[in-house]
Amino acid sequence: MKFLFASDSFKGTLSSERIIDLLTESANKIFPGCETFGVPVADGGEGTVDAVIAVTKGNIKTVKVHGPLMEDADATYGEFNGDSAIIEMAAASGLPMVPVDKRNPLNTTTYGTGELIRDALDSGYRKISIALGGSATNDGGMGAMSALGVKFLDAEGNVLSGFGSDLNKVADIDVRGLHPAVAETEFTIMCDVTNPLTGPDGATYTFGKQKGGTPEILDEMEAGMKKYAKLLLDKTGIDVDTVPGTGAAGGLGAAFKVFLNANMKSGIETVLDLIEFDKLLEGVDVVVTGEGRIDWQSAFGKVPSGIGMRSKNKGIPAVAIVGGMGKGADKIFEFGVESIIPTINGAMEIDEALERAEELYAGAADRLFRLLKVGMEIKK
């Protein structure tokens, strides 16, 4: 028997690497002499860089950047395969970097994300993947593009800094200073939201509240975002509101599309391609995946659906061990996952489940492999 383990982390309790250890121990106990192999996986959110670097044997690089409030900060990105870099925008412009009492999307910028990209370009990387999500910003990507040499100007010709408050001020765009390596670089944006830049489902009204936006602030920013979208259309001919995902990360998706000619792609699909997951499936009998909680959303760009479909396409059964099950969890059965094994083995409070996460996972792993053994006996 050959098993492949590819689970998302259980946030706050179990890392993907620890899950691999627990599955390996259990599999060898129930199937002595079996072959096991595990890879950490993420869906384009937190942990994506670590997962890709672990599999590709790449390196983590630390860079001095400016955070969402233009404070000095250290941020990291991954470098691998000699020509590739992978960046999580949240590493430089993430919401946790802003104290709760200072959260206001008018006052935040993606400048630091642009600095990470600039460093990757200066280091010679010409394949750059960027995970969107978890942003503290709603600046339309002006901050990031400013760090890459684009100038956003007000009506008097003054250069704007690229904060959210500048959306209402921008009147012209000068791209002549854009980093020259952009033209020869392939950018892939990991994005699983389809929100446009503006409108009721756009960046501001969908995500702005969680970044500290009051109704008054959001109305002001939406007016500015509409002005910005029109300017992009006038200057580039691209109507960003017709491109799904341009509202991601406070409009950073729009800037990447317009200025970097980036390809937008599902986070989990990008990660699986980067780690060459299909090659890892060769000779595998069963794949074990999972996540902390599985529900109807898991079928849309989450780790179990991505792993399940890749496995299904190769004719390999996949099963999921999960911390808990929510409404619509059975939808995952349409995406190559054949069964779900919850770790919870009795009635308990969430705090107890979290405290006992490792013990409960090990028990669920034992149950899973024992059930697989029964299936083999039936087949005989």
Side-chain angles (χ1 to χ4, degrees), residues 247-299:
L252 189 56
F256 284 153
K257 184 66 179 176
V258 171
F259 299 105
L260 306 185
N261 193 31
N263 297 311
M264 293 195 179
K265 192 173 175 183
S266 159
I268 182 60
E269 294 302 323
T270 302
V271 171
L272 294 180
D273 285 343
L274 290 175
I275 67 174
E276 298 185 313
F277 186 76
D278 288 357
K279 290 183 179 179
L280 302 179
L281 288 169
E282 293 176 7
V284 170
D285 295 295
V286 177
V287 176
V288 182
T289 185
E291 61 180 342
R293 176 179 171 81
I294 197 165
D295 56 25
W296 64 272
Q297 299 177 89
S298 300

Side-chain angles (χ1 to χ4, degrees), residues 116-270:
L116 285 180
I117 297 170
R118 186 177 68 202
D119 189 90
L121 293 172
D122 289 344
S123 298
Y125 299 114
R126 296 298 178 260
K127 294 180 181 178
I128 301 178
S129 300
I130 306 164
L132 303 188
S135 75
T137 56
N138 197 70
D139 67 354
M142 289 195 300
M145 295 306 108
S146 295
L148 290 174
V150 177
K151 291 182 180 179
F152 296 91
L153 310 169
D154 66 14
E156 284 73 46
N158 300 308
V159 178
L160 300 170
S161 299
F163 287 89
S165 57
D166 289 331
L167 288 169
N168 265 313
K169 304 172 187 175
V170 63
D172 198 5
I173 303 172
D174 182 355
V175 299
R176 289 175 295 178
L178 180 63
H179 198 299
V182 165
E184 56 192 47
T185 302
E186 178 185 338
F187 291 94
T188 300
I189 306 306
M190 291 177 258
C191 175
D192 288 297
V193 304
T194 58
N195 304 73
L197 184 61
T198 69
D201 297 320
T204 303
Y205 287 131
T206 303
F207 307 110
K209 184 178 179 181
Q210 67 197 45
K211 302 172 186 182
T214 63
E216 294 76 19
I217 288 174
L218 297 184
D219 287 343
E220 176 185 344
M221 298 202 80
E222 176 66 3
M225 198 69 88
K226 286 182 176 179
K227 180 181 179 181
Y228 176 60
K230 184 178 185 304
L231 182 61
L232 291 177
L233 177 60
D234 293 343
K235 286 290 183 177
T236 70
I238 299 175
D239 183 356
V240 290
D241 277 329
T242 66
V243 182
T246 51
L252 189 56
F256 284 153
K257 184 66 179 176
V258 171
F259 299 105
L260 306 185
N261 193 31
N263 297 311
M264 293 195 179
K265 192 173 175 183
S266 159
I268 182 60
E269 294 302 323
T270 302

Side-chain angles (χ1 to χ4, degrees), residues 93-121:
S93 312
L95 187 60
M97 298 176 72
V98 182
V100 174
D101 61 344
K102 293 184 178 180
R103 291 180 181 176
N104 181 339
L106 287 169
N107 302 331
T108 54
T109 177
T110 53
Y111 194 88
T113 296
E115 290 177 304
L116 285 180
I117 297 170
R118 186 177 68 202
D119 189 90
L121 293 172

